[in-house]
């Protein structure tokens, strides 16, 4: 297989920005050009993504980040909000539920993204609040061209908006109609919200730090929190159960939470120290896959070798089975990460990978840790569930888009990677607060996260819901260090696929010598073998989907090995972006699939 690329790997020494939308990438580069650092650019890029990809993230969502200030140790920024104080297991059970709905009020947790961006700007940025927010305000006020997937998402939920969520219809159905692809779409209500935050923050005077702290206070305790509290405590809203439900989130929940820093988890592989978040996210599954694959001669394979795809997928099945059995908020449960990443544990687990595809879910055993894996098989549904299930955002088919064999295109978040001229690095995966997730908060112009659907309503599970607990999110960011210095950051949207597609990118970079763009453009693959993190939590035993660019001989061999192979379109899987600092140059690449992502730099 030739190392075909859709575009060049960007190479320069001033700065690079790669994101899942070209406008956001341009904004990030603009900030670097005006003298801001990578962290200033990250904040401006993050807020812009809320405007240009409202079906994939929003102000009321969440964000994990990995940041590395030049000369300092990398840090995780946890912008994942927690379950409300009233969100107890008994409270959900009293409503007759055994699974958290995928949409509406009941799946809301504390929105974490805004405070995380502000904390980053305060501690690592150099610019003022107005400087970084002005881009998002401008685009929200004047509008952006709508990409097909946004229109597809709105089209799918327009009946829900018209019949049950009028505040969403006001924002996303201008003139009472689904907007057209390529048309200019604005959100003046959101522009007004951000403008008010800026103006109120500036009443404290010209001090940058005081303004940012004031903005955080306005979000958590001021007019934003007040509007959320009033909406959630005084209404019931239709969700995926097919009936109106109350909410648990209050202004007090928002006031009591703030973003935080953590030390990343690390695993050494092929000369790299790979960094991920803790097990409140699925990121450690990436490291577990590396620990299993360490025992295979991947250097002796090729990117389109059926054996390469086979062993990687089988390692994924084992690592994600462990995700289901062990992962949860480490502030609440004892997650045995040291054991899960140990040689002894993985030497035994690796023996389960044979010549044939596994059709079982096989978590490991660690004495005194973990819980039962709850497997909801493909096709099982909840009684009374309506056909508007969009727990994981799934947009309607457009004939001018490449689509999967099921006639749908999927995506659930966005991503960016930024490196500046001083060597500062930032990578983030903003998500949540999707336009289809819950009704728009009146007067604010945005809706709230439905990340609580990650929780299980089973007291035996390490990710059982509890007040103040972080859901085990799929959101994942990656950084790899070499010789003690950060070299590359990378990531992708994709829910449960994030730590599969990102892994494949890294393996191609490390084992096959592909540059960032080559590794991004290479044919994709993944499995849905394990329970989905999203409502209604289905699984598909033995599943393997591959892009149609794989050789037919590879596909046939994978079928012979027992994989239930689904051949998708040629350019359908993944939305990777990546950046690196190597050989004295900054480099970046971005995904061409769905015609949105772009890397820029000089």
């Amino acid at each position: 297989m030739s190392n075909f690329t859709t575009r060049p790997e960007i190479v320069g020494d001033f700065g690079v920005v790669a994101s899942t939308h070209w406008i956001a990438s341009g904004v990030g580069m603009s900030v670097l050009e005006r003298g801001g650092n990578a962290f200033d650019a990250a904040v401006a890029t993050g807020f812009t993504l809320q405007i240009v990809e409202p079906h994939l993230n929003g102000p009321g969502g969440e964000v994990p980040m990995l940041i590395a200030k030049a000369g300092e140790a990398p840090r995780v920024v946890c912008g994942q909000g927690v379950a409300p104080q009233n969100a107890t297991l008994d409270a959900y059970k009293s409503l007759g539920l055994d699974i958290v709905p995928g949409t509406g009020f009941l799946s809301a947790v504390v929105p974490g993204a805004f405070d995380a961006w502000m904390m980053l700007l305060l501690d690592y940025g150099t610019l003022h609040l107005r400087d970084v927010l002005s881009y998002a305000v401008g685009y929200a006020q004047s509008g952006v061209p709508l990409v097909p997937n946004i229109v597809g998402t709105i089209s799918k939920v327009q009946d829900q908006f018209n019949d049950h969520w009028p505040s969403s219809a006001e924002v996303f159905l201008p003139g009472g109609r689904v907007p057209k692809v390529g048309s200019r779409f604005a959100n003046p209500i959101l522009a007004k919200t951000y403008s008010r935050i800026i103006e109120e923050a500036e009443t404290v005077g010209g001090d940058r730090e005081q303004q940012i702290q004031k903005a955080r206070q306005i979000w958590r305790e001021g007019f934003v929190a007040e509007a959320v509290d009033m909406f959630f405590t005084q209404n019931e809203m239709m969700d995926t159960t097919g009936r109106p439900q109350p909410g648990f989130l209050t202004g007090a929940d928002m006031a009591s939470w703030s973003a935080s820093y953590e030390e990343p988890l690390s695993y050494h592989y092929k000369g790299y120290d790979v960094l991920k978040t803790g097990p409140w996210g699925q990121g450690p599954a990436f490291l577990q896959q590396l620990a299993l694959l360490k025992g295979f001669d991947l250097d002796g394979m090729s990117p389109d070798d059926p054996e390469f795809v086979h062993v990687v997928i089988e390692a994924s099945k084992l690592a994600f089975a462990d995700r289901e059995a062990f992962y949860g908020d480490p502030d609440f449960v004892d997650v045995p990460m040291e054991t899960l990443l140990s040689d002894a544990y993985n030497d035994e687990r690796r023996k389960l990978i044979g010549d044939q595809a596994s059709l079982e879910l096989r978590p490991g055993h660690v004495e005194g840790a973990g819980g039962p894996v709850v497997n909801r098989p493909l096709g099982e549904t909840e009684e009374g569930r309506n056909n508007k299930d969009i727990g994981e955002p799934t947009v309607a088919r457009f004939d001018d888009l490449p689509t999967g064999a099921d006639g749908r295109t999927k995506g659930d978040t966005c991503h960016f990677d930024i490196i500046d001229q001083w060597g500062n690095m930032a990578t983030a995966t903003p998500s949540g607060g999707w336009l289809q997730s819950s009704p728009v908060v009146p007067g604010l112009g945005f809706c709230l996260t439905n990340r609580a659907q990650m929780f299980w309503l089973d007291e035996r599970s390490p990710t059982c819901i509890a007040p103040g607990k972080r859901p085990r999110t799929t959101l994942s960011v990656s950084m790899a260090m070499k010789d003690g210095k950060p070299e590359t950051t990378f990531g992708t949207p994709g829910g449960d696929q994030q730590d599969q597609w990102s892994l494949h990118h890294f393996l191609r970079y490390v084992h096959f010598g592909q540059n960032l763009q080559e590794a991004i453009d290479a044919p994709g693959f993944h499995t849905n073998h394990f329970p989905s993190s999203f409502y209604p939590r289905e699984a598909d035993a033995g599943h393997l989907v591959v892009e149609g660019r794989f050789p037919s001989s590879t596909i046939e061999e994978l079928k012979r090995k027992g994989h239930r192979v689904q051949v998708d379109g040629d350019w359908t899987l993944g939305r990777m972006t990546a950046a690196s600092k190597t050989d004295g140059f900054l480099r970046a690449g971005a995904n061409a699939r769905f015609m949105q992502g772009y890397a820029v730099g000089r």
Side-chain angles (χ1 to χ4, degrees), residues 106-425:
L106 285 174
S107 51
V109 298
V110 174
F114 185 89
D115 195 65
W117 295 125
M118 290 298 100
M119 185 179 76
L120 178 68
L121 182 65
L122 176 68
D123 295 336
Y124 288 89
T126 64
L127 301 182
H128 279 69
L129 180 66
R130 183 179 291 273
D131 295 330
V132 296
L133 269 178
S134 62
Y135 299 92
V137 171
Y139 281 116
Q141 186 65 52
S142 63
V144 296
L146 288 178
V147 296
N149 276 354
I150 298 177
V151 177
T153 304
I154 296 172
S155 177
K156 182 164 185 173
V157 294
Q158 64 174 318
D159 290 344
Q160 176 87 348
F161 287 0
N162 285 324
D163 296 343
H164 304 292
W165 296 355
S167 57
S168 294
E170 179 185 5
V171 173
F172 295 107
L173 295 174
R177 296 183 298 274
V178 176
K180 294 182 179 180
V181 173
S183 65
R184 184 182 294 272
F185 176 80
N187 187 344
I189 301 175
L190 178 56
K192 184 177 179 180
T193 295
Y194 278 151
S195 294
R196 182 177 172 184
I197 290 175
I198 294 169
E199 291 164 4
E200 290 190 13
E202 289 178 343
T203 62
V204 300
D207 183 79
R208 191 186 81 91
E209 287 76 15
Q210 289 184 14
Q211 288 181 7
I212 297 169
Q213 289 287 32
K214 179 63 175 178
R216 299 176 77 180
Q217 185 270 329
I218 293 167
W219 181 272
R220 294 200 301 243
E221 303 176 53
F223 78 91
V224 175
E226 290 170 359
V228 171
D229 182 88
M230 181 178 297
F231 191 43
F232 270 70
T233 58
Q234 298 183 12
N235 295 278
E236 294 184 352
M237 285 289 164
M238 185 70 70
D239 60 27
T240 50
T241 65
R243 62 182 186 269
Q245 302 273 17
F248 295 132
L249 185 67
T250 68
D253 293 311
M254 294 180 65
S256 63
W257 182 88
S258 62
S260 59
Y261 296 107
E262 297 180 0
E263 296 302 310
L265 280 181
S266 177
Y267 187 78
H268 191 75
Y269 182 87
K270 292 286 290 184
Y272 288 89
D273 292 304
V274 184
L275 310 182
K276 302 292 289 187
T277 72
W280 53 267
Q282 73 175 7
F286 185 111
L287 306 182
Q288 284 197 250
Q289 291 171 94
L290 292 180
L292 290 163
L293 292 170
K294 188 169 67 173
F296 293 94
D297 181 21
L298 300 188
D299 288 330
M301 302 179 189
S302 65
D304 60 352
D305 190 328
E307 190 63 20
F308 171 70
V309 177
H310 172 72
V311 297
V312 169
I313 285 296
E314 293 305 295
S316 299
K317 292 175 182 178
L318 295 175
F320 280 86
D322 279 356
R323 181 195 73 171
E324 293 303 303
F326 298 107
Y327 290 16
D329 185 345
D331 292 341
F332 284 75
V333 295
D334 181 17
V335 184
M337 285 311 310
E338 184 174 353
T339 298
L340 296 177
L341 294 176
S342 68
D343 287 343
Y345 180 82
N346 286 285
D347 288 346
E348 287 300 311
R349 295 283 279 158
R350 194 178 302 114
K351 294 175 183 177
L352 297 174
I353 300 177
D355 183 62
Q356 291 294 299
S358 169
L359 301 181
E360 301 176 272
L361 200 64
R362 300 179 292 182
H365 175 74
V366 179
E367 191 67 36
V373 175
V374 184
N375 190 356
R376 304 178 69 84
L378 187 68
E380 183 179 342
T381 61
E382 291 299 304
E383 183 178 354
R385 185 176 126 228
N386 63 25
N387 63 3
K388 295 184 176 65
D389 165 29
I390 45 172
E392 178 182 12
T394 303
V395 300
R397 175 174 179 172
F398 271 76
D399 290 336
D400 59 347
L401 282 177
T403 57
D406 59 359
R408 302 180 295 177
T409 59
K410 296 183 178 181
D412 72 330
T413 183
C414 40
H415 183 81
F416 68 73
D417 300 281
I418 301 174
I419 307 177
D420 65 25
Q421 60 183 309
W422 303 286
N424 300 310
M425 297 186 182

